[in-house]
Amino acid sequence: MDLYRSGSSSSCAGKAPDQIDGLLAGAGYRVRSSELRNVAQRLERLETVMVNAPSEISHLADEVVLHNPSDLASWVDSLLSELNQPVPVPDLSDLTYAESLDPTVNTGAWMEHHTAEQHREIPQVLTAVEEDSCIQLVHVLMTCAGSVQRGEFSLARALIDEMQGLLTRVNNRCGIGKVAGYFIDALSRRLFSPQGSGLIGSAYENEILYHHFYEASPYLKFAHFTANQAILEAFDGHDCVHVIDFNLMQGLQWPALIQALALRSGGPPLLRLTGIGPPSSDGRDSLREIGLRLAELAHSVNVQFAFRGVAASRLEDVKPWMLQVGPKEAVAINFIMQLHRLLVSAPTRGSPIEAVLGWIRNLNPKVMIVVEQEANHNQPEFLDRFTEALHYYSTTFDSLETCSTQPDKALAEIYIQREICNIVCCEGLARVERHEPLAKWRSRLRGAGFKPLHLGSNAFKQASMLLTLFSAEGYCVEEDGGCLTLGWHSRPLIAASAWQAIPEPNPPLGLVDPYNNVV
Amino acid sequence: MAGSNEIKVNESKKVVPLNTWILISNFKLAYNMLRRPDGTFNRDLAEFLDRKVPPNTVPVDGVFSFDVVDRSTSLLNRIYRPSPSPETAADPQFGIIDLQNPLSTTEIVPVIIFFHGGSFAHSSANSAIYDTFCRRLVSICKAVVVSVNYRRSPENCYPSAYDDGWAALKWVHSRPWLRSGKDSKVFVYLAGDSSGGNIAHHVAHRAAESGVEVLGNILLHPMFGGQDRTESEKKLDGKYFVTIQDRDWYWRAYLPKGEDRDHPACNPFGPRGISLKGLTFPKSLVVVAGLDLVQDWQLAYVEGLKNAGQEVKLLFLKQATIGFYFLPNNDHFYSLMEEINSFVNPNC
């Protein structure tokens, strides 16, 4: 009676971890084999939460955000975030999983590593014990990161187990407990994921997360507002203006600028917008879609508008001839949380940042906006980066606690989690979140031939007002040598600055043709 | 009883493969969200969550399926058939369904009328888990399976599911294209898991009383109960995906208002049960999962059949939990399939 044992559609022997579990697929659920344990843990977590909060279950049922139930992992996560639980740390300490067709294999093997999870109670707020556990947790995190740096991987793994235990004694709904979970998760991925590729999402996913981060906190709004202010001022008196946005995303920044230009005394200029973004993999031309929407808006307020999308996987692939800058145009360059990606360097690729800043300088823009995370996440030593990131993102998460709308808050946290993962898990070309502090950018940009433009007291006052309108207590705007920073309780988290090219002291004969491929 | 903040040790993880645990736990948690304390059911969310699949007239893995509506009852039945092998079919036209010729004029092809589980409230004939299960049944037993999309509670309580089962039985018997064998008749078996097993019993009972032929009953951890709390219920409450509380909810949703669990629908051999002595009741294969808290009621059912002089075989799978047959990744699944195959193909 062996016909069905050799059956095709239901076999699952020896699949590569990245493949979907064939048996669950037959039941209508898509879960990668490598994620099975993770999903099981989350289900357990969800059950614990449901048992302890039965009154919230009917709320869940009536108001749950409807994610695709076939994608079990996201489905469970969405329920967990509805109930304000962080995604738990995956237990990856046993990478070999039983071939479930073989009845002699002990299918209970995966149970062995869960001893810490049994009899777990939902922690009440216990200040003394909790504070102690928080301090311990940070200490073990630092020790673990140190052991990772030194290549002591078995010690690191043991420390991860210890931290999982500590996590249960800490209030993981906020503060260090929540962010520690993400850092432990990132360390696990670095240790156990063979590719060390962190969390990679599709362009579409990234857009969604970005949007919710935009809604949940004032950082992006501040960046856009300050940038638009500087661009408006730089475009004063010009009739043909061209904005080059190095990360169009959903174009959230531009409606406000279009409207401000429409109301300009003397009438609006002819506005060109060039939006740069990653190529869409699913056949949608998202750049074009956004361009169309912005064009409609511009049309409705009588601003002459033209849009061009430039798809590029890497910023350094963008060449000036793609932008088609006209000789009489006033150009504004816009880098919102992007410029640091050019700091990725490899021996064979030269210095992308120098190359790009070089041709931008030759375009002689009226203003170049640079908004960056105010943090030192590009230090050569892993432990230094880790420590800095831990403090930076703890502050960021603290500030996010003031957001009360879902799913904005949950998805904003995932947005940030991706940054954390990139900083902690990745190296080399994959590590793109190479944040550097304002002081470093100042010397770098000066060296590349740019001089700072003061953002002005107007911008400062208006940014402060923006904060009181949109955000909670705790955020603060500060002026720093002509630049503006937005932070949480006196820790600056975002820095905005504006720049202009210093004219060449000895220009070559004739005008520099911006259509040339300048290197 | 454990304190409200203490999580019971979850023993189910030790006895089922990981993907099975995920599948059944997901159901359990989703179902918790659907049952409301006031006895109503969040049907919209249930339908959204249920993973459904369309039928396929072009065979996949040797099985094809199509949906048919019985116009007199507007009942949907999904028919699963083995695809004709290239040698026997003169001109296999995939995608075209033959609703005229019998299944065979020489061989006997069993037709299994299957009632899916879901405690009378959940799932449908086109739920992915049941569609997949029916397809496996067809492959292994070389049978035709008719999966009935009976009306569910709490919107349709007793006796809707039984009426729908009875209608399906009559419908199957009257289809010329389900006949087989030299005598050209429909060789009907009834089968079901959980509430489907309960339906199979009651339909078989009505068939026996009305003289409609059913050759056998296959009851896969059938859903029975009673007012008493049995040992197995007390011992296994909450340990393997199922709780007494949720069983009670489903009975309240199915049984008529004001009735208790000794109603004969729930407890056919209980104080209000009707005797089956002397009836031409079909032979039964009753499968009991050793980690199912309802097992004492199922074992009592087996005893009840025996006491009534009816033929019954018990397949007791000691380490099986409910839903062990959803994924073919454990021994119990294969034992079950062998038993069912022998049951419907007694001459093989």
Side-chain angles (χ1 to χ4, degrees), chain A residues 43-100:
Chain A
L43 279 168
E44 261 190 286
R45 182 64 162 251
L46 182 59
E47 176 172 11
T48 307
V49 169
M50 285 170 88
V51 160
N52 285 284
S55 54
E56 295 201 37
I57 297 179
S58 43
H59 147 76
L60 253 191
D62 292 328
E63 293 173 27
V64 66
V65 177
L66 298 178
H67 294 289
N68 180 5
S70 280
D71 182 358
L72 255 189
S74 329
W75 167 252
V76 179
D77 281 350
S78 69
L79 292 178
L80 281 172
S81 14
E82 285 286 330
L83 294 169
N84 253 318
Q85 297 295 307
V87 174
V89 176
D91 176 16
L92 297 166
S93 44
D94 180 8
L95 274 182
T96 60
Y97 42 93
E99 175 183 315
S100 49

Side-chain angles (χ1 to χ4, degrees), chain A residues 207-257:
Chain A
E207 275 181 33
I208 294 185
L209 293 178
Y210 182 92
H211 190 106
H212 288 282
F213 180 65
Y214 179 90
E215 294 292 338
S217 59
Y219 301 113
L220 290 176
K221 293 173 197 141
F222 164 80
H224 295 170
F225 182 88
T226 311
N228 287 344
Q229 185 68 24
I231 294 173
L232 254 182
E233 282 171 26
F235 283 168
D236 197 22
H238 293 274
D239 294 323
C240 291
V241 302
H242 185 174
V243 175
I244 299 168
D245 185 359
F246 270 79
N247 187 24
L248 185 66
M249 269 294 175
Q250 298 174 325
L252 296 171
Q253 180 173 351
W254 305 119
L257 182 69

Side-chain angles (χ1 to χ4, degrees), chain A residues 26-39:
Chain A
Y29 297 99
R30 294 177 59 80
V31 184
R32 273 192 275 268
S33 301
S34 55
E35 282 194 312
L36 285 177
R37 267 171 232 275
N38 210 327
V39 171

Side-chain angles (χ1 to χ4, degrees), chain B residues 70-89:
Chain B
D70 174 4
R71 261 176 279 186
S72 57
T73 60
S74 43
L75 253 196
L76 182 79
N77 296 321
R78 178 167 287 186
I79 322 290
Y80 300 84
R81 288 186 49 181
S83 60
S85 48
E87 310 96 56
T88 57

Side-chain angles (χ1 to χ4, degrees), chain B residues 32-320:
Chain B
N32 286 349
M33 283 168 52
L34 300 173
R35 296 189 300 272
R36 297 201 193 97
D38 64 359
T40 59
F41 188 76
N42 193 338
R43 181 62 63 191
D44 289 334
L45 183 58
E47 290 302 292
F48 174 75
L49 293 181
D50 193 19
R51 306 291 79 212
K52 295 191 200 289
V53 291
N56 62 303
T57 50
V58 178
V60 172
D61 287 338
V63 180
F64 71 95
S65 62
F66 54 94
D67 291 343
V68 183
V69 178
D70 174 4
R71 261 176 279 186
S72 57
T73 60
S74 43
L75 253 196
L76 182 79
N77 296 321
R78 178 167 287 186
I79 322 290
Y80 300 84
R81 288 186 49 181
S83 60
S85 48
E87 310 96 56
T88 57
D91 182 11
Q93 293 182 48
F94 295 149
I96 297 175
I97 297 156
D98 182 355
L99 292 184
Q100 289 188 300
N101 296 315
L103 297 170
S104 167
T105 48
T106 50
E107 309 281 306
I108 291 175
V109 181
V111 176
I112 304 176
I113 302 180
F114 179 75
F115 301 102
H116 66 81
S119 309
F120 294 104
H122 297 282
S123 296
S124 309
N126 58 352
S127 296
I129 43 167
Y130 286 112
D131 182 89
T132 305
F133 179 74
C134 289
R135 301 171 64 84
R136 291 192 179 119
L137 260 185
V138 170
S139 297
I140 291 166
C141 303
K142 303 288 173 265
V144 167
V145 173
V146 178
S147 188
V148 180
N149 210 22
Y150 58 90
R151 285 169 293 163
R152 297 163 300 188
S153 62
E155 301 94 320
N156 302 287
C157 62
Y158 168 93
S160 311
Y162 302 155
D163 290 343
D164 291 349
W166 173 246
L169 176 60
K170 306 269 288 303
W171 183 87
V172 163
H173 264 300
S174 65
R175 297 304 105 187
W177 45 272
L178 286 177
R179 295 191 188 139
S180 61
K182 298 199 186 67
D183 307 329
S184 192
K185 70 170 196 182
V186 188
F187 290 80
V188 175
Y189 293 82
L190 297 180
D193 67 316
S194 170
S195 53
N198 177 294
I199 296 172
H201 165 81
H202 288 285
V203 172
H205 188 174
R206 187 165 170 186
E209 291 194 328
S210 315
V212 175
E213 185 186 50
V214 174
L215 295 168
N217 268 8
I218 300 162
L219 271 55
L220 245 184
H221 56 60
M223 189 170 155
F224 293 118
Q227 274 305 104
D228 284 344
R229 296 302 188 197
T230 58
E231 275 309 304
S232 65
E233 283 167 304
K234 290 190 269 199
K235 200 176 84 162
L236 297 173
D237 187 15
K239 294 230 168 74
Y240 298 98
F241 309 112
V242 184
T243 64
I244 295 178
Q245 205 184 25
D246 70 64
R247 295 297 96 200
D248 286 353
W249 191 98
Y250 291 115
W251 282 120
R252 272 195 305 275
Y254 180 65
L255 295 170
K257 289 281 172 296
E259 284 287 357
D260 68 17
R261 290 184 303 276
D262 281 334
H263 186 283
C266 176
N267 197 354
F269 294 113
R272 296 160 57 189
I274 301 161
S275 174
L276 296 183
K277 274 208 177 81
L279 272 183
T280 315
F281 195 79
K283 64 172 181 175
S284 297
L285 169 64
V286 180
V287 182
V288 177
L291 299 175
D292 182 356
L293 58 79
V294 174
Q295 63 188 272
D296 284 353
W297 291 112
Q298 293 156 351
L299 294 170
Y301 173 79
V302 171
E303 284 309 303
L305 283 179
K306 284 188 186 152
N307 292 339
Q310 303 298 347
E311 187 187 335
V312 55
K313 175 167 186 190
L314 168 65
L315 177 64
F316 186 84
L317 299 167
K318 194 158 167 234
Q319 281 295 95

Side-chain angles (χ1 to χ4, degrees), chain A residues 279-345:
Chain A
S280 305
S281 53
D282 54 0
R284 297 166 54 231
D285 189 349
S286 56
L287 289 174
R288 188 164 171 272
E289 277 170 29
I290 294 160
L292 281 173
R293 280 211 301 269
L294 290 172
E296 268 173 42
L297 170 66
H299 181 75
S300 72
V301 294
N302 293 319
V303 173
Q304 280 182 289
F305 179 81
F307 176 85
R308 187 183 175 76
V310 173
S313 329
R314 301 176 314 181
L315 290 183
E316 63 258 40
D317 292 337
V318 177
K319 301 288 180 247
W321 58 263
M322 297 174 188
L323 309 175
Q324 298 193 340
V325 175
K328 295 212 168 63
E329 287 177 343
V331 174
I333 309 276
N334 196 64
F335 280 107
I336 309 277
M337 325 290 217
Q338 285 298 293
L339 199 50
H340 57 256
R341 291 167 177 261
L342 287 169
L343 294 177
V344 175
S345 63

